[in-house]
Amino acid sequence: MSERKFDGYEPFYIQVSDSIKNDIREGKLIRGEKLSNEAELAKELEVSRGTIRKSLSLLNEEGYVETVHGKGTFVRNDKISSPIAQQFVSFEEDMRNQGLNFETKVLTKKVISVDDSIHYELKMADNTKVLYLERLRLVNNEPSILLYNWIPIDRCPGIEKYDFTNIGLFEAMEETMGEKINHGIREFSALNADDYIQKVLNLPNDAVLKINQKSFDDNNEPIEYSEVYLRTDNYQVTSLLQR
Amino acid sequence: MSERKFDGYEPFYIQVSDSIKNDIREGKLIRGEKLSNEAELAKELEVSRGTIRKSLSLLNEEGYVETVHGKGTFVRNDKISSPIAQQFVSFEEDMRNQGLNFETKVLTKKVISVDDSIHYELKMADNTKVLYLERLRLVNNEPSILLYNWIPIDRCPGIEKYDFTNIGLFEAMEETMGEKINHGIREFSALNADDYIQKVLNLPNDAVLKINQKSFDDNNEPIEYSEVYLRTDNYQVTSLLQR
DNA sequence: GAGTGGTCTAGACCACTAG
DNA sequence: TAGTGGTCTAGACCACTCT
């Protein structure tokens, strides 16, 4: 009767929020429904109110619930599509999270010496070797995302041996670095696609959303640079923002 | 000597983080510099460590500092340009925050009956009157953002009387609603601008970044719909994301 | 091992919402 | 006024980093 609901592998607040996410996904909690108040949740789950608050704060950030002062916490009814402007998940992780049917084609994979522009982005010494990747992502068999990546191989030794058809880049990088990616910057712009991009993405016209991305390690050193082109009719980029 | 550093108008954690932001802006804290540890900050500022942690967590989210487990908290050296994909600030507020030199031209302002598409976006009854706004924002005298807004006037009585040359839309809405905007959704896409948009924004080519935005009140009712076109060479949209 | 942040607790009091 | 979340505290113990 007085058994702890959670184990010791993850912080309680993560386990609590995961458990609530599951309840939402499984329909045990429905849209607009009010959760128990914080004191009750704390009692039920046998953790302190502070821990419950931290869980709810996470769920708020991620758009699962909305908390209103004086009223309570409610399940959100508008789950957003792709939070790549809000969270540093890779496109692959994002598509998995959304449960999309997708496929990756590796168009080019080779080790090259960086040219001047990439050089600059990666703040690297002369003649550094980088892995150059060109990949196409299809969502529901429709070409939707074209990705170019540059990764210095001295930071990710052996990364050139991966077949990226079934493994994501972030996963491969974190394995070969022996360290997690710390953070990243994404910059969004619109431009006219050249003939090649237009053809590969099968664009209805030549406007394309471009995302420039840089990833950094714990020491704030750049470890990856990307240019990503998206067909925004196939793949929505959305932010759900609290004011 | 034992005076409290902060007053009672705002929560301590906000005052603490504002004060640290100021130190960064004024150069008292420089890029890469390590802040005092949490226990010391708590002692110096006469608040509890929990309050300090909440402040630092805010500063982390907003990209001012970076906290590393076991090492400390450091001033970030890459302050991002525009966080409109990460925070629900209006474009006006964002430009003010960045200290940009900008100007607003109201191209159209009239009260109309909504047509079917806007109808749908705003989930409104037939014949509802909305304020229709078309505005152009110039940054450093360069046309950079073209905004179209639809706001139901029964929600914001009197909003049609504002002159939007020197007042922002969010500000006017919150004044006339007598309530704060609660949250919003922004969706990013790229498209080919028509001749008119191309001309007004003085685009070098016809690709333009489009943001569809909906704002909601506390009851999750839509209170505004926008379509915003940006020249991304003049106005950067960037997200700084922790992994 | 010393220093630092990360998690968690138990309790107090304040501020907002709604009947 | 009762119910709910928001802020703040003081203290304990754990996990990571560096030397």
Side-chain angles (χ1 to χ4, degrees):
Chain A
M1 153 183 193
S2 169
E3 285 178 85
R4 186 124 228 170
K5 266 72 182 177
F6 303 108
D7 65 30
Y9 297 109
E10 291 246 50
F12 290 160
Y13 74 90
I14 301 280
Q15 297 184 52
V16 169
S17 79
D18 282 351
S19 142
I20 294 175
K21 278 183 209 173
N22 266 332
D23 288 350
I24 294 173
R25 269 194 283 267
E26 292 171 10
K28 287 185 202 164
L29 284 168
I30 59 173
R31 293 178 166 199
E33 187 172 348
K34 184 171 169 303
L35 275 62
S36 307
N37 68 45
E38 297 177 350
E40 262 181 52
L41 281 174
K43 204 170 164 191
E44 283 171 23
L45 304 176
E46 299 176 57
V47 295
S48 74
R49 186 179 160 219
T51 300
I52 293 292
R53 280 186 64 74
K54 186 138 191 184
S55 306
L56 294 181
S57 150
L58 238 189
L59 292 169
N60 266 284
E61 269 174 43
E62 294 177 356
Y64 286 93
V65 303
E66 183 189 6
T67 295
V68 184
H69 193 177
K71 293 174 78 174
T73 296
F74 303 84
V75 180
R76 268 219 135 84
N77 49 27
D78 44 10
K79 191 75 188 73
I80 63 165
S81 49
S82 172
I84 56 164
Q86 291 186 279
Q87 297 168 229
F88 203 51
V89 294
S90 68
F91 292 90
E92 215 228 355
E93 290 160 342
D94 175 47
M95 291 187 284
R96 269 190 217 293
N97 289 343
Q98 290 190 61
L100 291 178
N101 166 28
F102 72 98
E103 182 192 348
T104 304
K105 284 187 185 170
V106 179
L107 304 182
T108 312
K109 187 180 92 173
K110 59 184 175 187
V111 175
I112 59 169
S113 288
V114 287
D115 71 18
D116 284 349
S117 62
I118 305 303
H119 209 250
Y120 172 76
E121 297 294 349
L122 290 171
K123 285 194 246 160
M124 289 181 349
D126 283 351
N127 299 320
T128 311
K129 299 282 184 199
V130 297
L131 173 64
Y132 169 76
L133 267 184
E134 180 189 13
R135 292 173 297 164
L136 179 66
R137 289 262 162 75
L138 296 87
V139 178
N140 295 324
N141 297 314
E142 294 272 354
S144 298
I145 313 181
L146 180 64
L147 306 99
Y148 296 91
N149 311 93
W150 290 263
I151 307 104
I153 53 173
D154 59 343
R155 294 302 314 275
C156 300
I159 196 166
E160 71 280 6
K161 299 196 191 78
Y162 282 78
D163 166 23
F164 289 96
T165 309
N166 290 306
I167 189 171
L169 178 60
F170 277 21
E171 194 184 337
M173 283 172 61
E174 292 183 337
E175 267 183 34
T176 52
M177 282 198 297
E179 175 185 3
K180 294 276 180 190
I181 295 170
N182 182 280
H183 65 281
I185 293 178
R186 289 189 169 133
E187 184 183 315
F188 301 78
S189 56
L191 79 167
N192 291 99
D194 60 30
D195 290 347
Y196 174 73
I197 291 176
Q198 198 168 347
K199 195 176 133 220
V200 172
L201 283 177
N202 194 22
L203 293 174
N205 47 54
D206 72 347
V208 68
L209 182 64
K210 182 183 182 190
I211 300 179
N212 283 33
Q213 168 181 295
K214 270 193 254 187
S215 307
F216 299 86
D217 66 12
D218 293 341
N219 299 314
N220 227 342
E221 294 296 325
I223 44 181
E224 182 252 3
Y225 173 72
S226 311
E227 297 181 0
V228 181
Y229 299 89
L230 291 103
R231 260 194 80 155
T232 45
D233 49 348
N234 285 350
Y235 188 83
Q236 306 281 20
V237 177
T238 311
S239 290
L240 173 59
L241 303 165
Q242 212 62 35
R243 184 162 166 85
Chain B
M1 152 185 197
S2 170
E3 286 177 83
R4 185 124 230 172
K5 267 71 182 178
F6 303 108
D7 66 30
Y9 297 109
E10 291 246 50
F12 289 160
Y13 75 90
I14 300 280
Q15 297 185 51
V16 170
S17 78
D18 281 351
S19 142
I20 294 175
K21 278 183 210 175
N22 266 331
D23 288 351
I24 294 173
R25 271 195 281 268
E26 291 171 11
K28 288 186 202 162
L29 284 167
I30 58 173
R31 294 179 165 197
E33 187 172 348
K34 185 172 168 302
L35 275 61
S36 308
N37 68 46
E38 297 178 351
E40 261 181 53
L41 282 174
K43 204 171 163 188
E44 281 172 24
L45 305 177
E46 300 175 57
V47 295
S48 75
R49 187 179 159 219
T51 300
I52 293 293
R53 281 185 63 73
K54 187 138 191 184
S55 306
L56 294 180
S57 150
L58 238 189
L59 292 169
N60 267 283
E61 268 173 42
E62 295 177 356
Y64 286 92
V65 303
E66 184 189 6
T67 295
V68 184
H69 193 177
K71 292 174 79 172
T73 296
F74 304 83
V75 180
R76 269 217 134 85
N77 48 30
D78 43 12
K79 191 72 189 73
I80 62 167
S81 48
S82 172
I84 55 164
Q86 293 185 278
Q87 296 168 230
F88 203 51
V89 294
S90 69
F91 292 91
E92 216 229 354
E93 290 161 342
D94 175 47
M95 291 189 284
R96 268 190 218 293
N97 288 343
Q98 290 189 60
L100 292 177
N101 166 28
F102 72 99
E103 180 190 349
T104 304
K105 286 187 184 167
V106 178
L107 305 183
T108 312
K109 186 181 91 173
K110 58 183 176 189
V111 175
I112 57 170
S113 288
V114 288
D115 70 17
D116 284 350
S117 62
I118 305 304
H119 210 249
Y120 172 76
E121 298 293 351
L122 290 172
K123 285 196 243 157
M124 289 183 346
D126 283 351
N127 300 320
T128 311
K129 300 282 183 200
V130 297
L131 174 65
Y132 169 76
L133 268 184
E134 180 188 11
R135 292 173 297 165
L136 179 65
R137 288 262 162 75
L138 295 88
V139 178
N140 294 323
N141 297 314
E142 293 274 349
S144 298
I145 313 181
L146 180 63
L147 306 98
Y148 296 92
N149 311 94
W150 290 262
I151 306 104
I153 52 172
D154 58 342
R155 293 303 314 276
C156 300
I159 195 165
E160 71 279 5
K161 300 197 190 77
Y162 282 77
D163 166 23
F164 289 96
T165 309
N166 289 307
I167 189 171
L169 178 59
F170 277 21
E171 195 184 335
M173 284 172 60
E174 292 183 337
E175 267 184 33
T176 51
M177 282 199 297
E179 176 185 1
K180 295 274 180 190
I181 295 170
N182 182 280
H183 66 280
I185 293 179
R186 289 190 169 132
E187 183 183 317
F188 301 80
S189 56
L191 80 167
N192 292 98
D194 60 30
D195 290 346
Y196 174 73
I197 291 176
Q198 197 168 348
K199 194 177 133 219
V200 173
L201 282 177
N202 193 21
L203 293 173
N205 47 55
D206 73 347
V208 68
L209 182 64
K210 182 185 182 188
I211 301 180
N212 283 34
Q213 168 182 296
K214 271 192 254 187
S215 308
F216 300 85
D217 66 12
D218 293 341
N219 298 314
N220 226 343
E221 295 295 326
I223 45 179
E224 183 252 2
Y225 173 72
S226 312
E227 297 181 359
V228 182
Y229 300 88
L230 290 103
R231 261 194 78 156
T232 47
D233 49 348
N234 285 350
Y235 188 83
Q236 306 281 21
V237 177
T238 311
S239 290
L240 173 58
L241 303 165
Q242 212 62 34
R243 188 163 163 83

